[in-house]
């Protein structure tokens, strides 16, 4: 069973301030529960988004695929069977899904399928037992290696982490074995030609380990990732964690630190990113002026030179079912070494949204992230709270896709402060040259919030889609416009066709503008 539905028929919930929200499907809420499985994936080569969930009738799995321009949703329904649980999306040139299957109502088999004729074809091969047999798994996360083989990680009910490597057609098992025992799964990713599996001790949240492979056959020995974490609370708990690899194969770990002495849900917490073993992690969540905030449930994505974290923060500080979450994104332009300010992606939503999950890869052409979340159908309660206390056994919900674009630190301030600020390129797309027009208000804001009319020097930089600096114009004035760019780099060589990003910033850092320009083939 399949369907193709234009987005306009599905209904755009809202589109504002570079944030888009689309109703995609109806699901069982447990599809999104606890984040180990990765229900949404994005592949930049095919510019495709794939979402796999358990349907709310509990008869099987639904797969929805969208092009990156979000022009339509293509759905395949009732794959696998009712015993399938917690699916993971594996987008690649040809997409795959993986999932555990109950055996006699108990955790059991590792299973996978692939769409052999490619994206949007609806030609899925039959499920394959990739275990094989009953291996007691409760989560199955798969990703494609550079050699085309598929590496599957299985997390068992007895806290073991397994691996199985299969060829691209899911015909032959290439390798398999045990990665770790008595371990809490942290995350798994393949990027930059290497696969990392992270896990922590089940008795010590901050004792983190990892193993690596490039072929899914030969593995490194167990290594320690020294988190070097100074807990923010006397009784700090790590509840949710994920990781992603940069395009250079460098790990980026994200986790929440929760106040274990806060007995009223939602709990006080903060979000951290660890970028190097032995280096203290970076706090990326913000209190926005409050002594502390209720932040948790983070997920992370990478791509180009960008990193992005998506996390929940309570919008009303109400307890239990009355709690409402906003989702905040926070971006880095240098692979996670420094971070901007959090951006509210859901401030205009009227529904009680929850259980967000981000696609691990960033769309570097549009410079935006894709994520999914849900809202309960039978009540307007907080979805996380409803599952956590067992309020709803079946948990039917509506599934939404969110898309949020990169915004600079000062761009978020501009949304709050207003003012006349403009950056435009004409023609766009361009062939030989383009004119860059900009206009800045003479009213800037100092760090203490006091307005100032002092003029500033303007620096303009042009980056390619990989985040590399191509051209810069420095020491302009905030009233000088336009600027001619003849499509060259700082060495005078013509740039190749592609997508470029113009960043304009005043020397005092109080104004930040950004625009995309395209040079066609």
């Amino acid at each position: 069973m399949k369907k193709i539905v234009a987005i306009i028929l599905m209904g755009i919930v809202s589109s504002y301030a570079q944030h888009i929200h689309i109703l995609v499907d109806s699901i069982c809420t447990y599809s999104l529960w606890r984040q180990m499985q990765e229900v949404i994936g994005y592949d930049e080569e095919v510019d495709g988004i794939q979402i796999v969930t358990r349907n709310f009738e509990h008869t099987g799995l639904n797969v929805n695929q969208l092009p990156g321009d979000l022009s339509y949703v293509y759905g395949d329904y009732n794959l696998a069977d009712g015993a399938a649980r917690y699916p993971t999306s594996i987008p690649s040139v040809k997409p795959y899904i993986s999932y555990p299957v109950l055996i006699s109502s108990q955790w059991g088999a590792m299973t996978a399928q692939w769409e052999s004729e490619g994206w949007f074809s609806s030609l899925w091969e039959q499920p394959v037992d990739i275990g094989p047999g009953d291996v007691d798994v409760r989560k199955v996360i798969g990703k494609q290696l550079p050699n085309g083989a598929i590496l599957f990680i299985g997390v068992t009910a007895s806290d073991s982490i397994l691996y199985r490597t299969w060829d691209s057609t899911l015909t032959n098992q290439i390798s398999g074995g045990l990665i770790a025992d008595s371990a809490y799964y942290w995350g798994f990713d393949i990027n930059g030609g290497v696969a990392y599996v992270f896990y922590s001790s089940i008795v010590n949240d901050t004792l983190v380990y990892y193993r690596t492979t490039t072929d899914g056959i030969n593995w490194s020995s167990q290594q320690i990732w020294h988190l070097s974490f100074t807990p923010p609370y006397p009784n700090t708990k790590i509840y949710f964690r994920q990781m992603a690899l940069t395009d250079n194969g460098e790990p980026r770990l994200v986790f929440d630190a929760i106040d274990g002495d806060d007995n009223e849900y939602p709990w006080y917490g903060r979000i951290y990113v660890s970028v190097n073993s032995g280096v203290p992690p970076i706090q990326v969540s913000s209190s926005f002026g409050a002594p502390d905030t209720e932040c948790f449930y983070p997920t992370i994505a990478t791509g180009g030179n960008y990193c992005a974290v998506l996390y929940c923060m309570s919008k009303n500080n109400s307890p239990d079912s009355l709690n409402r979450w906003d989702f905040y994104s926070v971006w880095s332009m240098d692979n996670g070494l420094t971070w901007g300010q959090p951006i509210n992606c859901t401030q205009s939503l009227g529904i009680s949204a929850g259980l967000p999950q981000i696609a691990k890869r960033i769309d570097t052409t549009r410079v935006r992230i894709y994520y999914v979340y849900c809202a309960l159908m039978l009540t307007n309660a907080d979805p996380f709270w409803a599952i956590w206390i067992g309020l709803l056994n079946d948990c039917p919900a509506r599934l939404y896709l969110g898309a949020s674009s990169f915004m600079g630190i000062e761009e978020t301030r501009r949304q709050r402060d207003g003012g006349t600020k403009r950056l435009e390129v004409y023609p766009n797309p361009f062939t030989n040259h383009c004119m860059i027009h900009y206009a800045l208000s003479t009213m800037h804001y100092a760090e203490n919030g006091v307005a100032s009319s002092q003029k500033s020097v303007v620096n303009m930089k042009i980056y390619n889609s990989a985040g590399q600096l191509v051209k810069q114009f420095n020491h302009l004035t905030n009233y000088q416009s336009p600027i001619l760019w003849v499509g060259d780099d700082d060495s005078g060589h013509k740039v190749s066709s592609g997508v470029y990003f113009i960043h304009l910033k005043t020397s005092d850092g109080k104004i930040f503008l950004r625009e995309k320009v395209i040079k066609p083939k």
Side-chain angles (χ1 to χ4, degrees):
M1 181 178 178
K2 62 183 179 180
K3 70 174 182 179
I4 305 176
V5 183
I7 291 297
I8 191 171
L9 298 180
M10 291 295 294
I12 295 181
V13 177
S14 61
S15 177
Y16 61 93
Q18 303 186 50
H19 306 300
I20 299 170
H21 299 269
I22 300 167
L23 175 61
V24 175
D25 206 346
S26 298
I27 65 167
C28 167
T29 316
Y30 281 109
S31 297
L32 305 182
W33 178 242
R34 297 192 67 85
Q35 302 178 326
M36 287 189 197
Q37 74 284 3
E38 300 169 19
V39 303
I40 181 172
Y42 172 72
D43 184 271
E44 191 153 35
E45 183 175 349
V46 299
D47 194 25
I49 305 161
Q50 179 172 270
I51 305 166
V52 56
T53 55
R54 187 182 176 202
N55 59 42
F56 88 91
E57 299 95 342
H58 299 180
T59 56
L61 304 178
N62 296 347
V63 176
N64 286 285
Q65 296 174 345
L66 301 88
D69 63 8
L70 307 179
S71 56
Y72 60 89
V73 178
Y74 189 104
D76 289 311
Y77 288 79
N78 288 315
L79 299 179
D81 58 40
R85 298 289 192 274
Y86 298 115
T88 286
S89 178
I90 314 170
S92 60
V93 175
K94 291 187 178 180
Y96 300 74
I97 59 175
S98 59
Y99 47 91
V101 171
L102 300 183
I103 297 176
S104 300
S105 300
Q106 301 295 320
W107 293 117
M110 298 175 66
T111 312
Q113 290 178 257
W114 71 305
E115 196 171 12
S116 56
E117 295 301 314
W119 288 75
F120 309 106
S121 71
S122 195
L123 296 174
W124 289 87
E125 297 296 313
Q126 290 299 306
V128 175
D129 181 354
I130 57 173
D134 187 350
V135 288
D136 188 36
V137 297
R138 57 192 177 97
K139 299 292 172 69
V140 181
I141 306 99
K143 297 181 186 293
Q144 191 165 43
L145 289 157
N147 63 13
I150 311 297
L151 175 59
F152 298 97
I153 300 300
V155 181
T156 75
S158 55
D159 295 314
S160 294
I161 300 176
L162 315 173
Y163 80 93
R164 297 289 187 271
T165 306
W166 284 69
D167 66 8
S168 61
T169 63
L170 302 184
T171 303
N172 300 302
Q173 180 176 316
I174 299 171
S175 185
L178 178 70
I179 291 178
D181 255 333
S182 300
Y184 192 99
Y185 174 82
W186 186 298
F188 162 45
D189 197 13
I190 298 176
N191 202 8
V194 62
Y196 276 76
V197 179
F198 276 83
Y199 47 96
S200 61
S201 165
I202 61 175
V203 296
N204 183 351
D205 277 334
T206 61
L207 186 56
V208 182
Y209 304 97
Y210 65 91
R211 294 181 65 186
T212 65
T213 182
T214 57
D215 58 11
I217 302 171
N218 302 291
W219 288 81
S220 72
S221 60
Q222 177 175 275
Q223 309 291 314
I224 296 179
W225 182 275
H226 295 281
L227 205 56
S228 302
F229 176 52
T230 301
Y233 308 104
N235 181 20
T236 298
K237 304 290 186 183
I238 296 178
Y239 282 178
F240 295 96
R241 63 206 82 194
Q242 272 199 353
M243 60 80 59
L245 297 176
T246 68
D247 291 353
N248 294 324
E250 299 172 337
R252 299 293 182 257
L253 281 64
V254 67
F255 62 96
D256 53 18
I258 305 300
D259 184 354
D261 293 325
D262 183 359
N263 296 319
E264 185 176 71
Y265 174 85
W267 312 286
Y268 285 118
R270 305 178 189 182
I271 309 300
Y272 293 86
V273 172
S274 176
V275 299
N276 282 300
S277 176
V279 177
I282 304 163
Q283 182 179 332
V284 297
S285 58
S286 173
S287 64
F288 290 103
D292 209 343
T293 49
E294 295 155 329
C295 301
F296 90 142
Y297 216 73
T299 57
I300 190 166
T302 58
N305 286 336
Y306 294 98
C307 285
V309 167
L310 187 77
Y311 66 91
C312 296
M313 187 168 79
S314 179
K315 71 164 59 178
N316 59 359
N317 294 315
S318 296
D320 302 332
S321 65
L322 299 177
N323 176 60
R324 298 292 181 268
W325 294 110
D326 270 325
F327 307 153
Y328 281 80
S329 64
V330 55
W331 288 74
S332 167
M333 293 179 60
D334 54 11
N335 277 323
L337 301 181
T338 59
W339 294 81
Q341 293 297 307
I343 305 162
N344 191 334
C345 303
T346 53
Q347 58 189 355
S348 297
L349 287 185
I351 58 176
S352 183
L355 304 173
Q357 193 176 110
I358 197 172
K360 275 196 190 300
R361 296 285 86 85
I362 292 171
D363 179 345
T364 60
T365 300
R366 302 175 183 88
V367 195
R368 67 184 179 189
I369 55 173
Y370 301 107
Y371 55 94
V372 290
Y373 59 93
C374 67
L376 300 179
M377 295 172 63
L378 303 182
T379 177
N380 198 31
D382 169 13
F384 181 93
W385 177 86
I387 297 180
W388 178 56
I389 68 163
L391 175 67
L392 299 173
N393 291 327
D394 293 334
C395 291
R398 294 181 177 88
L399 177 73
Y400 295 87
L401 171 73
S404 295
S405 299
F406 170 81
M407 297 167 64
I409 297 173
E410 294 305 323
E411 223 171 329
T412 60
R413 180 180 298 174
R414 188 172 74 251
Q415 285 188 328
R416 296 194 296 268
D417 297 339
T420 303
K421 308 171 187 73
R422 178 174 58 88
L423 176 60
E424 297 175 349
V425 181
Y426 182 83
N428 189 11
F430 77 97
T431 302
N432 298 314
H433 65 272
C434 61
M435 303 298 294
I436 305 170
H437 301 260
Y438 64 91
L440 302 179
S441 168
T442 57
M443 191 67 70
H444 295 176
Y445 284 84
E447 288 299 324
N448 60 5
V450 177
S452 170
S453 60
Q454 183 177 2
K455 289 181 171 62
S456 299
V457 174
V458 175
N459 296 315
M460 182 182 297
K461 296 183 178 181
I462 302 174
Y463 297 86
N464 62 21
S465 59
Q468 299 167 322
L469 180 63
V470 172
K471 181 78 172 181
Q472 54 187 336
F473 300 90
N474 294 324
H475 307 298
L476 308 174
T477 60
N478 65 355
Y479 51 83
Q480 179 181 351
S481 179
I483 297 297
L484 173 66
W485 182 38
V486 295
D488 62 338
D489 60 20
D490 278 332
S491 300
H493 301 110
K494 292 292 186 179
V495 300
S496 60
S497 60
V499 177
Y500 295 85
F501 299 94
I502 300 171
H503 291 221
L504 186 146
K505 191 173 185 179
T506 57
S507 57
D508 57 9
K510 301 302 181 288
I511 300 291
F512 183 98
L513 297 174
R514 184 176 176 283
E515 185 61 39
K516 179 172 73 174
V517 60
I518 300 174
K519 187 177 188 298
K521 295 180 179 179

